[in-house]
Amino acid sequence: MNAAAATTPTPPVPETETSHALDCLDTGGRPGRIVCLTEEPTELLYALGEERRIVGISGFTVRPPRARQEKPRVSAFTSAKVDRILALRPDLAIGFSDMQADIAQALVKAGVEVWIANHRSVAGILGYVRRLGALVGAAQRAEAYAAALEARVRAVREAAARLPRRPRVYFEEWDAPQISAIRWVSELIGIAGGDDIFPERAAAPLGRDRIVADPLEVVARRPDIIIGSWCGKKFRPEAVAARPGWQDVPAVRDGELHEVKSPLILQPGPAALTDGLDALHAIVARWAARGGR
């Protein structure tokens, strides 16, 4: 996550959001005032045409770009402006993972209904699309959207199957400590045509279980490609290449150190299955076209 975003001043709440307009919607008992504590529900609700229900978003939100102009930013990832959220009178807050447990607890104690999703796989992301769509009464649109995402994933998998070789890939989510790929990223690497060098870590449920305590473990697994996505911090390939003992790693030797921006790949929502997957496949396909070394 981008630490700078957490300190970005939030705009005033638009008058339309503080009115009773949304409270008067015929929502059939469905939530009409949603606070999105992470990026993926915002992107998905906009994609489904249900953005009118959103009254607050995460400060890290960049997809779609208009959300940052239209909605007040009320949270980071592990912290939130609880008083600001309560002032928005939400009937639902949506977050992700145990990392937001403290925010969820504070909101629940204040009487807000909270949904903390915890999906960690490609199938889980698709299930999330369908569940959130059903929650806001857009089940048919969500099903069509999920089917389109599935078709896109299938197309990339088929294109990857035609590549002449598969690279070994080390994906680094953070640099200090070094943290390897979470499950959906590991799966997307496979779909894109590569093989995650730490698949056993990707299966672990918690981030601490993906810490690579000994950097020489990466050296031993000899990745052909290294991809950095440092949670919003700029990836520094020169710093990675300079790590002791890494000079003979194939990816370092051949200059195969790449960045995929975290909003594209580290949010378990539509971005990961579209632009994130495309970015991974492009890196792998270029490596394969050069013949691998």
Side-chain angles (χ1 to χ4, degrees), residues 119-121 169 171 173 179-189 195-207 209-212 221:
H119 50 289
R120 303 298 176 106
S121 65
V169 179
F171 183 96
E173 182 180 312
I179 300 178
S180 61
I182 198 167
R183 181 176 170 184
W184 72 80
V185 175
S186 179
E187 291 178 353
L188 290 174
I189 288 169
D195 294 308
D196 178 16
I197 66 168
F198 290 121
E200 73 284 2
R201 283 190 166 93
L206 300 176
D209 298 321
R210 292 184 284 112
I211 292 175
V212 183
R221 301 203 184 193

Side-chain angles (χ1 to χ4, degrees), residues 167-238:
R168 298 179 299 275
V169 179
Y170 170 52
F171 183 96
E172 190 169 276
E173 182 180 312
W174 193 246
D175 62 326
Q178 291 170 213
I179 300 178
S180 61
I182 198 167
R183 181 176 170 184
W184 72 80
V185 175
S186 179
E187 291 178 353
L188 290 174
I189 288 169
I191 292 166
D195 294 308
D196 178 16
I197 66 168
F198 290 121
E200 73 284 2
R201 283 190 166 93
L206 300 176
R208 65 171 177 263
D209 298 321
R210 292 184 284 112
I211 292 175
V212 183
D214 181 0
L216 293 181
E217 283 190 69
V218 177
V219 176
R221 301 203 184 193
R222 298 181 57 77
D224 300 298
I225 295 172
I226 293 174
I227 299 173
S229 188
W230 288 352
C231 293
K233 183 171 70 172
K234 183 175 175 57
F235 178 60
R236 295 179 56 213
E238 73 284 357

Side-chain angles (χ1 to χ4, degrees), residues 3 29 57 73-74 87 89 100 123 145 148 155-156 163 172 176 178-179 186 196 218 263:
I57 62 173
R73 302 188 290 278
V74 296
R89 295 178 291 108
Q100 294 198 312
Y145 189 63
V156 174
L163 297 176
E172 190 169 276
Q178 291 170 213
I179 300 178
S186 179
D196 178 16
V218 177

Side-chain angles (χ1 to χ4, degrees), residues 12-175:
V13 180
E15 182 63 29
T16 54
E17 298 291 4
T18 57
S19 72
H20 291 280
L22 283 176
D23 293 336
C24 297
L25 285 175
D26 180 13
T27 59
R30 295 181 288 271
R33 301 186 65 83
I34 299 174
V35 168
C36 299
L37 301 171
T38 56
E39 300 94 311
E40 60 278 357
T42 299
E43 181 177 10
L44 179 53
L45 288 170
Y46 268 86
L48 296 178
E50 296 291 333
E51 67 272 15
R52 71 189 185 281
R53 299 178 186 273
I54 302 172
V55 296
I57 62 173
S58 164
F60 296 121
T61 301
V62 296
R63 295 170 66 97
R66 57 183 275 220
R68 293 183 69 83
Q69 281 71 55
E70 296 176 350
K71 308 293 181 178
R73 302 188 290 278
V74 296
S75 71
F77 187 59
T78 58
S79 64
K81 300 173 183 177
V82 174
D83 57 344
R84 187 88 188 264
I85 292 174
L86 296 179
L88 293 169
R89 295 178 291 108
D91 49 21
L92 180 66
I94 303 175
F96 175 73
S97 92
D98 59 297
M99 296 292 287
Q100 294 198 312
D102 290 344
I103 302 173
Q105 182 183 54
L107 291 174
V108 169
K109 285 184 175 180
V112 178
E113 185 171 349
V114 179
W115 174 28
I116 298 295
N118 207 26
H119 50 289
R120 303 298 176 106
S121 65
V122 170
I125 293 172
L126 293 166
Y128 177 79
V129 169
R130 294 179 168 103
R131 289 196 302 278
L132 182 51
L135 187 65
V136 298
Q140 289 186 333
R141 274 174 280 148
E143 181 59 41
Y145 189 63
L149 292 173
E150 287 175 322
R152 185 161 180 166
V153 169
R154 185 164 54 251
V156 174
R157 191 193 301 274
E158 291 170 354
R162 295 191 290 271
L163 297 176
R165 55 187 57 78
R166 296 178 66 88
R168 298 179 299 275
V169 179
Y170 170 52
F171 183 96
E172 190 169 276
E173 182 180 312
W174 193 246
D175 62 326

